Amino acid sequence: MKNPYLPLPMKLVKNFTETEDKLIHTFTLQFLSEEDEKSFPYMPGQFAELCVFGKGEAPFGIASSPTEPGFLKFSVAKVGVVSTALHLMEEGSMVGVRGPLGNYYPVEDFKGKNVVIIGGGFAFTTLRSLATYMLHPDRRGDYGDITVIYGARNPGLLLYKEELAAWEQSPDINLITTIDRAVDGWNGRVGFIPAVTEEVAPSSENTYAIICGPPVMIKFTMPVLEKLGFPVERIIMSLENRMKCGIGMCGRCNVGGKYVCKDGPVFTRAQLNELPNEY
């Protein structure tokens, strides 16, 4: 039986400064062997504990897709001891990875349906995984229209800029990016996610909405989705609050009788409506 506390050693092959404020880095970690990779089967929406030896561990959503073999990606904001240590690590260093953990986006339910992905700022990581998964040539035919609505305070805080540029040119995905306030050189939309969603979201008929972002963004986007007619069973959210151990043992992340790390982090709006408003 696999020890759930035992991290898998992986090699840091790229430490990339993702945003212009330099507070978010994207880390590419390489599996050391095919056996290690086979021992880590994951799906979009899951997370893992990243372990910096001598500093500790912390949970982060997996930004890569299982359709991208050989490595894992994590985008990490510099906010604590572990994330600061990660930011300072040199390429070639070893990082421990414990997982995959939690549930994942219900990609089987999405088949034959349209999907609108709504994300804000730094919380776009697992949404990037989901979009990349559905856009893979072997799977793109399984899904209807794919729309991505992604916003940040300013252009310099958008993640994955090269991929966003590629998606803008792709006939397989409809990408809408927006920033909070106009700045010189930005030719895209200006406006907050809730307002932009109301303006550009596809019909709710036969469509799933997946949303992940800052709590205030989610708070004001939910009424928009309900106004547009999305049933609560087809609104999917990803929570990350207070997770620590990742396996439902420490009790830090419970919402009512559910553990975000073990029963989530992916929930439908219908499921969350049955829980205390503690998330």
Side-chain angles (χ1 to χ4, degrees), residues 189-226:
R189 288 180 176 272
V190 176
F192 295 109
I193 287 290
V196 173
T197 298
E198 184 167 5
E199 182 181 351
V200 306
S203 166
S204 59
E205 185 176 354
N206 201 39
T207 303
Y208 273 87
I210 301 93
I211 181 169
C212 189
V216 67
M217 185 203 89
I218 293 175
K219 176 182 178 181
F220 288 103
T221 304
M222 278 300 159
V224 172
L225 294 176
E226 292 169 4

Side-chain angles (χ1 to χ4, degrees), residues 28-79:
T28 303
L29 306 179
Q30 185 180 61
F31 290 103
L32 300 184
S33 68
E34 290 185 9
E35 289 72 23
D36 284 353
E37 185 169 6
K38 289 178 181 176
S39 74
F40 198 96
Y42 71 100
M43 291 293 287
Q46 289 191 285
F47 69 97
E49 299 275 350
L50 295 189
C51 314
V52 180
F53 304 112
K55 298 294 183 181
E57 65 174 15
F60 300 101
I62 303 173
S64 53
S65 162
T67 57
E68 300 172 303
F71 63 89
L72 300 174
K73 276 189 176 182
F74 298 87
S75 296
V76 177
K78 186 179 178 182
V79 294

Side-chain angles (χ1 to χ4, degrees), residues 77 88 164 195 215:
L88 295 174
L164 296 181

Side-chain angles (χ1 to χ4, degrees), residues 156-167:
L157 296 183
L158 290 168
L159 306 183
Y160 318 126
K161 295 178 183 64
E162 290 187 4
E163 287 175 293
L164 296 181
W167 290 356

